[in-house]
Amino acid sequence: MNHVEPIRLAQVSAGYGQRVVLDGLDLGLQQGTITAIVGPNGSGKSTVIRAMARLLPTRSGVVLLDGQDIRSFGPRGIARLVSVLPQSPSSPPGLTVRELVELGRFPHTGLFGRLGVEGVLAVESALTLTGLADFAQRPLDELSGGERQRAWVALALAQGASTLLLDEPTTFLDVRHQFEVLDLVASLCTSRDMTVVMVLHDLVHAANYADRVVVVDDGRIVADGAPAEVLTVELMQTVFGVAARIFTDAESGRMFCLPIGTGS
Amino acid sequence: MRSARSFAALTLLAAVAAVVLFVLHLGLGTVWIPPDRVVLALLDRPTDPTDLTIVRELRLPRAILGLLVGCMLGLSGALLQVVMRNRLAEPGLTGVSTGGIFAAVLFLAGTWGLPSPGQLLPFVVLVGALAGGALVLFASSFRGRIDPLRLILTAVIVNAVLGSLTSIVMLNSQQALGGILSWLIGSLNGRVWDDVWLALPWAAAGIPAGLLAARAANLLQLDDESGRALGLPLQPARVALFGLAAVLAAGAVSVSGAIAFVGLMAPNAARVIAGADARRVLPLAALIGCVLLLAADLVAQSLSIRPPIPSSSARVGLPVGAVLAVFGAPLLITLIRRSIR
C-alpha cells in the first residue's frame, strides 16, 4: 500500500475514570473513503472518534495521523488535519452562520492571526458547498434542524482538514434532512477526496452511504468490511440482540436492514 | 437589528454619546460651565483661567474615572458571561467586590496605627479584590479543571462568606464605619488624579487584552467538545479570561467601590444590539459601560443628599452605584423583555 493512512489506531485502549471503553483497538482508515462505525449503546463507538482526534487521551497504544504519532502535534496541528462534528454541538443564541463558520479557521489563525484571503475563500467555499451562502447572515437559532447541521458541517469544512469525523450526524433530524446531510457528506468525500468516519445508529444509512462498516461491541471491533458482508442476520442477533431481515430493494438498489423484534 | 450597517451606526452613536456625556460631566458641578468653554479648557485655551483649574484639576479625574470604570466593568461582565456561559454573570461574580470590601473593612476596623489610613485604602481594596478573585478561581478548580457552573456556584458561596465576614467585622468594630457604605454601593464622589493613576495601569493593560481575547471567547461560547476539536485548550483559556475579568473588575473596585449593574447591563445590551460574536460584543459592552456610568454619574452629581451626620450640614452627591441600581433595573428589565421572548 502506497498511501499513508490518514488515521491509524494501533492497540489503542482508552476510557473514562475507572471504566475502560476501548480495549486494544486496531483500525486504519483509507484516504477518500467513508467508514461507518456502528454498535449498540455504550459499545465505545463515539470513543473511537474521540480517540482519533485526541479529544480523549489514550491509556495505551498509539494513534497515528498521516503516519506520525498524534502526540507530536499540538491541539491546532491536529485540528488542521482532522475535523470533528460532535454529537450535540451548541452555539450561543444570535450567532450567525458566517460567524460560526469563520471559527473553523482557528486552527490556522490562532488567537490573534488574521483570517486572510485563504481564510475568506475557505469560509466562502464551505458556505457554498453546504448550500448555505444565502443563509450566511442568519442566526443559527432561526434555522431548521437540517440547515443548522449543515452549518456545523460547513464549520468543519472551513477547517480545511482532509479527515472528517462525525458523531451521529443524523440524530434529531427528520428523514428528509437525514438524507440531505448524508448526501452532502458523500459528495464531499468524492469532490474533496475527504476521508470520512461517521458514527451511525441507523444501520440502513450505514449500509447505503459507507464504503466500509466497522462494528464495535464492548470496546472491540467484532466485524469490519463492506456493508453487505458485515451486516448479516447473525450479526444482528449476536451484537444487537435482535432478529432482523436484510434485503435489497430491487427498485432503488438500496440495502435494508429491518429489525423485527428482540427475537427471543 | 443585526446587520453590519446598523451595528456600525449604533456603535458610532454610543461613541458620540460617550463624548457628549464626558463634556457635560466636566461642565456639571457647583458652577456650571457650558460645553464650549469645557472644550476650550481641555484644549488649553480657556476663556476664563478659573475654567482651567475647575475642569482640568477638579473635574477631569472624576470624568476619566467614569469612562475607565464603565469600560472596565462592561468588558469584565462580557468576558465573565462567556466564561460562565451565563447571561446573569456580572463582575461581582469574580469575588473581587466582596474581597475588596472585606479587606477595606478589616483595614479600617484595625487602623493598624497608621497616620492616614484613608490614603492607603484604595491599595488595600485592590489587594483584597485580587485575592478575592484568586480565591474564587482556586476554590472552583477541581483536578485542574474549571467548569462554568461550578465557577458560578463557588463565586456565589465565596461572596456570601466574605459578605458575612464583612458584616461581622463591622458589627464588632468600635469605630464608625460610615465611610465604608460608599464603597459598598460604589461612588465616584471626590475622586482625584491619584485615583486615576491607580486605575490606569489596570485599564491600560486589561482593556486591550480583554478585547484581544475575542476569538478565544468565541470558541468558549461553543460546546466544550467543539472548542477542543478546533484546537483551543479550554482550561487555560477559561483561566485567562476569568483572570482578565477579575483584573478589570479589581481595577474598577479599587477606585470606585462595588458598582453594580453596569457589568450586567452593558454586555446584555451589547448582545441585543450586536448578536453573539465576541468581536462585536466585547468592544460594544465596554463602550455601553462608559455611556451608562457617565450618564448615571451625571444624575448622581446633580441629585445631592444631606447625610444625617450631626456635625455637618454639607450636602453630598448621591453615590453613582445607587443611581445605577434605581434607574438601571427598569432599563435592564425592558431590555430582557424585548430580547428573550
Side-chain angles (χ1 to χ4, degrees), chain B residues 100-247:
Chain B
I101 284 161
F102 179 57
V105 172
L106 213 54
F107 180 72
L108 290 178
T111 56
W112 315 88
L114 293 162
S116 54
Q119 282 185 343
L120 280 172
L121 197 55
F123 292 99
V124 172
V125 173
L126 183 66
V127 171
L130 291 171
L135 179 62
V136 168
L137 190 63
F138 173 75
S140 71
S141 71
F142 179 70
R143 290 185 184 154
R145 282 178 40 83
I146 307 284
D147 173 78
L149 187 59
R150 201 167 53 215
L151 192 57
I152 295 178
L153 292 173
T154 309
V156 170
I157 294 165
V158 168
N159 279 345
V161 171
L162 288 174
S164 302
L165 290 176
T166 302
S167 306
I168 291 170
V169 175
M170 283 172 76
L171 287 171
N172 278 318
S173 173
Q174 300 298 312
Q175 286 167 289
L177 288 174
I180 203 69
L181 277 175
S182 74
W183 287 89
L184 276 171
I185 195 151
S187 168
L188 290 174
N189 289 343
R191 294 302 187 268
V192 293
W193 279 110
D194 279 348
D195 296 304
V196 176
W197 304 135
L198 187 69
L200 197 61
W202 304 98
I207 293 169
L211 295 177
L212 280 173
R215 200 172 273 153
N218 269 337
L219 287 163
L220 282 180
Q221 293 192 90
L222 303 179
D223 58 291
D224 283 8
E225 198 86 334
S226 294
R228 289 184 62 207
L230 286 164
L232 182 78
L234 293 188
Q235 303 310 327
R238 286 212 174 99
V239 171
L241 259 64
F242 178 88
L244 276 172
V247 160

Side-chain angles (χ1 to χ4, degrees), chain B residues 4-341:
Chain B
R5 200 184 305 162
S6 70
F7 167 73
L10 281 161
T11 307
L12 194 67
L13 187 73
V16 171
V19 172
V20 170
L21 285 167
F22 187 73
V23 172
L24 286 177
H25 196 288
L26 289 174
L28 200 71
T30 331
V31 193
W32 162 249
I33 303 176
D36 53 327
R37 276 165 59 194
V38 168
V39 174
L40 286 173
L42 282 176
L43 297 173
D44 223 353
R45 289 184 196 139
T47 43
D48 177 347
T50 54
D51 283 4
L52 204 64
T53 321
I54 295 175
V55 170
R56 307 229 317 199
E57 291 307 313
L58 299 176
R59 294 183 186 170
L60 198 53
R62 180 176 182 160
I64 289 178
L65 279 179
L67 215 61
L68 290 182
V69 167
C71 200
M72 290 161 97
L73 290 176
L75 186 54
S76 171
L79 289 168
L80 215 55
Q81 290 187 359
V82 169
V83 176
M84 294 187 162
R85 286 190 194 290
N86 194 316
R87 286 181 68 172
L88 288 175
E90 49 94 25
L93 275 183
T94 53
V96 303
S97 310
T98 48
I101 284 161
F102 179 57
V105 172
L106 213 54
F107 180 72
L108 290 178
T111 56
W112 315 88
L114 293 162
S116 54
Q119 282 185 343
L120 280 172
L121 197 55
F123 292 99
V124 172
V125 173
L126 183 66
V127 171
L130 291 171
L135 179 62
V136 168
L137 190 63
F138 173 75
S140 71
S141 71
F142 179 70
R143 290 185 184 154
R145 282 178 40 83
I146 307 284
D147 173 78
L149 187 59
R150 201 167 53 215
L151 192 57
I152 295 178
L153 292 173
T154 309
V156 170
I157 294 165
V158 168
N159 279 345
V161 171
L162 288 174
S164 302
L165 290 176
T166 302
S167 306
I168 291 170
V169 175
M170 283 172 76
L171 287 171
N172 278 318
S173 173
Q174 300 298 312
Q175 286 167 289
L177 288 174
I180 203 69
L181 277 175
S182 74
W183 287 89
L184 276 171
I185 195 151
S187 168
L188 290 174
N189 289 343
R191 294 302 187 268
V192 293
W193 279 110
D194 279 348
D195 296 304
V196 176
W197 304 135
L198 187 69
L200 197 61
W202 304 98
I207 293 169
L211 295 177
L212 280 173
R215 200 172 273 153
N218 269 337
L219 287 163
L220 282 180
Q221 293 192 90
L222 303 179
D223 58 291
D224 283 8
E225 198 86 334
S226 294
R228 289 184 62 207
L230 286 164
L232 182 78
L234 293 188
Q235 303 310 327
R238 286 212 174 99
V239 171
L241 259 64
F242 178 88
L244 276 172
V247 160
L248 284 164
V253 168
S254 71
V255 289
S256 67
I259 294 177
F261 269 109
V262 179
L264 178 66
M265 224 171 349
N268 277 301
R271 275 178 192 271
V272 171
I273 293 167
D277 195 325
R279 288 172 301 180
R280 292 172 172 196
V281 171
L282 298 183
L284 198 57
L287 200 53
I288 292 174
C290 290
V291 172
L292 285 174
L293 199 60
L294 281 173
D297 200 40
L298 266 180
V299 177
Q301 263 190 312
S302 30
L303 298 175
S304 58
I305 48 167
R306 196 164 66 82
I309 300 171
S311 58
S312 146
S313 65
R315 297 184 73 81
V316 298
L318 274 181
V320 63
V323 174
L324 269 162
V326 173
F327 293 95
L331 211 74
L332 186 62
I333 288 171
T334 314
L335 205 70
I336 289 169
R337 280 164 61 99
R338 283 184 55 188
S339 64
I340 303 171
R341 280 173 205 139

Side-chain angles (χ1 to χ4, degrees), chain A residues 217-234:
Chain A
D217 190 18
D218 204 16
R220 290 195 182 86
I221 294 173
V222 292
D224 180 356
E229 295 165 21
V230 169
L231 297 173
T232 60
V233 173
E234 296 76 52

